[in-house]
Amino acid sequence: MRLNSERPAGTGVILVTLVVAALLEVVPLSDTLNWVRPEWMLLVLLYWVLSLPHRIGVLWGFMVGLYLDVLVGTTLGQWALAYALGAYFMQAAYKRMRVFPLLQQSAVVFLLVGSAQLLAFLIQESVGRTFYPPYTILYSSVASAVIWRPLCGVLRWVQLRFLVR
Amino acid sequence: MSSANPTYRLLIALVLAVVLIALDQRSRWVDPLRYALGYLTAPVQYLAHLPVDAANGVMRLTETRTRLMESRERLERQVLILEQKVQRLAVLQAENTRLRELLNSSANLDASVLVAEIIGVDPDPNRQELVINKGVRDEVSQGQAVLDSEGLIGQVVETGPLSARVLLITDASHAMSVQVNRNGVRAILAGTGQGSRLRLLYVPDTADIREGDLLVSTGLGKLYPRGYPVARVVSVNHQSGASFSDIEARPTAHLDRVSHVLLVQSMEPVSAPDMETDGGDQAGAAGLEAAAGPDTEGADATE
């Protein structure tokens, strides 16, 4: 991790990783695979919060969530709320998160993604657009936790290669 | 900038999000925001569809000559059959118009259509929605009916500049008024949330509905044009003791296989069907269809 005093750079790279995550969010999958689609955008957002906590935070979370809302056609504000909260908690815990062992990191990601999804589910429920029971969000939360480490590796490489700070 | 308290930012974000949610549910004030963001989301939708497009392109390139000739022959036969049907249709249509004029009723089945391609499916299993590659710029508007060659698919619920979202008739929050083509019995057809399964609601045990009956749209509720095939009844279960029978139907359109859809462009105002049934049913059906419409706040019409 770099010092905060360095000049920020690489906003474009961050945006590109988020767009790729957005693609993965909507790319068509079979019905079964659809259940275990990880929350790509939230994971990428969490990574950037973790590595650049002084630059990427709640407002980024809100914006990215709002974008996802329009992308997948949910109530405007549903994912914005969930992502803002997710970014906030990651920002609050980034110091501990960095020294956590692998499994513990995944567990934290599972909790963060799970609670963000639960929040979004509750909002969707209040709008009357849910059909399957709430425990179904567990599948994609688990998938998100599993994919966290490999994704971190890829994003770390991107960060070092394109000097994002 | 980094020294600003993140808790304040969180509070601002939370308040903003809650206000957005409330406004989106209760009014149309945030639609411009959604529309503007549509310029940014549509490219991603199009990009996500590219692999599918590319795969189709490769398939087309590698098709063999014999396969092409076979399909050409099949299509020619189909054209012949359809032309023969159209010949009779012209006569029938003229006769129908004459008879309707005699009855002073002005139902019109004609409507111009716009062809659109499906570029996305809603990733959320809770919702049955599609994304199509036509938007406000192609004069798509909310509430338009969407069909394929076999029947009704759903309605446009959200329009972006370059794309639009279509709510399928199988969505759990969707319901519409239909009638049995054979005898004009009217009922409410509701989605179940599962692909290719629909249910007829509140059908009395004595109603004359059989397996294999074709259900067509009635045009009540003014959302769907009248007279398009919607579904076929697959099972009728009479339960002793229950006041309504349990009827399941399957959409005539191939919801899971279509790649192109038709948007009904200009809908003529439809007159109420001429058939005489009890008025309560009719009012209920119209109300339900309105509830499933795009403007009302997320009404769960089926429950």
Side-chain angles (χ1 to χ4, degrees):
Chain A
M1 305 307 147
R2 295 173 187 258
L3 292 174
N4 322 327
S5 53
E6 278 185 54
R7 220 155 46 81
T11 310
V13 177
I14 297 178
L15 288 177
V16 168
T17 56
L18 283 168
V19 166
V20 172
L23 266 173
L24 290 171
E25 289 269 4
V26 292
V27 86
L29 293 178
S30 71
D31 282 355
T32 342
L33 277 179
N34 220 352
W35 286 110
V36 290
R37 187 196 293 263
E39 274 301 320
W40 292 107
M41 285 191 94
L42 185 54
L43 287 177
V44 171
L45 177 79
L46 288 180
Y47 173 83
W48 289 120
V49 175
L50 179 63
S51 67
L52 309 165
H54 299 285
R55 258 186 86 195
I56 313 294
V58 173
L59 289 185
W60 272 80
F62 184 83
M63 290 303 178
V64 173
L66 202 63
Y67 182 82
L68 182 65
D69 274 330
V70 179
L71 186 69
V72 298
T74 40
T75 310
L76 223 52
Q78 170 179 322
W79 287 110
L81 186 75
Y83 276 31
L85 263 175
Y88 174 78
F89 284 122
M90 187 52 114
Q91 214 174 14
Y94 78 95
K95 280 179 186 152
R96 269 162 287 167
M97 185 75 178
R98 282 177 185 172
V99 295
F100 277 165
L102 218 155
L103 211 60
Q104 207 168 346
Q105 263 197 22
S106 285
V108 173
V109 167
F110 169 75
L111 285 179
L112 278 177
V113 174
S115 39
Q117 280 192 310
L118 185 63
L119 199 65
F121 185 91
L122 286 175
I123 296 166
Q124 202 166 316
E125 168 86 43
S126 69
V127 172
R129 291 305 301 275
T130 53
F131 177 67
Y132 292 100
Y135 64 77
T136 50
I137 60 175
L138 279 177
Y139 307 141
S140 63
S141 305
V142 169
S144 302
V146 169
I147 209 88
W148 170 251
R149 275 319 291 185
L151 183 74
C152 262
V154 173
L155 287 175
R156 172 69 47 80
W157 179 82
V158 169
Q159 188 181 3
L160 296 178
R161 172 76 181 71
F162 297 99
L163 298 175
V164 183
R165 56 179 186 263
Chain B
M1 173 155 171
S2 55
S3 57
N5 191 342
T7 312
Y8 283 131
R9 292 195 185 170
L10 179 70
L11 272 180
I12 295 170
L14 291 191
V15 170
L16 213 58
V18 170
V19 167
L20 272 179
I21 293 168
L23 282 181
D24 197 21
Q25 281 310 298
R26 304 281 167 195
S27 74
R28 316 201 59 175
W29 291 354
V30 290
D31 281 7
L33 174 61
R34 194 184 275 278
Y35 184 84
L37 278 172
Y39 280 108
L40 297 177
T41 54
V44 170
Q45 299 276 16
Y46 280 82
L47 264 179
H49 182 60
L50 262 187
V52 184
D53 249 4
N56 284 345
V58 169
M59 293 267 273
R60 214 171 298 143
L61 280 176
T62 54
E63 228 169 352
T64 60
R65 197 181 126 90
T66 36
R67 282 278 299 279
L68 279 176
M69 281 171 61
E70 265 170 34
S71 79
R72 202 189 94 143
E73 220 166 90
R74 199 185 58 238
L75 289 174
E76 269 175 359
R77 270 202 305 276
Q78 210 170 344
V79 165
L80 260 182
I81 295 169
L82 289 175
E83 269 175 354
Q84 182 255 339
K85 278 187 181 164
V86 166
Q87 280 172 25
R88 278 173 46 214
L89 192 69
V91 179
L92 286 174
Q93 205 168 22
E95 184 180 294
N96 194 351
T97 318
R98 263 202 310 281
L99 291 172
R100 284 201 173 276
E101 272 165 11
L102 285 177
L103 287 167
N104 273 336
S105 124
S106 65
N108 194 348
L109 286 175
D110 267 346
S112 64
V113 289
L114 174 74
V115 181
E117 192 184 350
I118 295 175
I119 56 169
V121 182
D122 201 309
D124 185 350
N126 285 300
R127 292 174 305 156
Q128 305 267 327
E129 284 180 17
L130 298 175
V131 183
I132 54 173
N133 70 344
K134 293 274 162 33
V136 170
R137 294 198 157 182
D138 309 284
E139 290 170 359
V140 173
S141 59
Q142 275 194 10
Q144 265 188 336
V146 182
L147 321 154
D148 82 345
S149 56
E150 311 278 325
L152 250 165
I153 284 183
Q155 57 174 295
V156 176
V157 285
E158 190 192 305
T159 47
L162 308 163
S163 63
R165 299 187 80 82
V166 176
L167 182 73
L168 294 180
I169 52 175
T170 48
D171 189 282
S173 70
H174 190 273
M176 64 178 292
S177 151
V178 293
Q179 66 189 140
V180 177
N181 197 34
R182 181 167 52 87
N183 53 16
V185 171
R186 256 201 312 272
I188 298 159
L189 186 69
T192 59
Q194 285 150 300
S196 71
R197 270 189 69 215
L198 299 160
R199 263 185 3 220
L200 276 183
L201 303 181
Y202 316 125
V203 179
D205 234 0
T206 50
D208 178 19
I209 297 182
R210 288 185 228 142
E211 261 177 50
D213 274 348
L214 181 69
L215 304 170
V216 299
S217 55
T218 60
L220 288 173
K222 311 245 159 135
L223 265 171
Y224 289 112
R226 188 185 167 191
Y228 282 103
V230 182
R232 211 170 264 288
V233 176
V234 287
S235 73
V236 181
N237 284 319
H238 296 287
Q239 286 162 333
S240 51
S243 32
F244 303 117
S245 44
D246 186 18
I247 301 179
E248 218 173 87
R250 182 184 295 278
T252 51
H254 302 297
L255 296 184
D256 46 351
R257 271 182 281 150
V258 285
S259 60
H260 287 83
V261 293
L262 304 168
L263 288 140
V264 179
Q265 196 67 316
S266 60
M267 236 184 75
E268 299 289 323
V270 282
S271 61
D274 320 316
M275 260 153 297
E276 206 51 59
T277 41
D278 53 293
D281 171 8
Q282 186 171 329
L288 264 182
E289 213 170 81
D295 297 351
T296 45
E297 78 260 16
D300 200 353
T302 54
E303 304 306 313

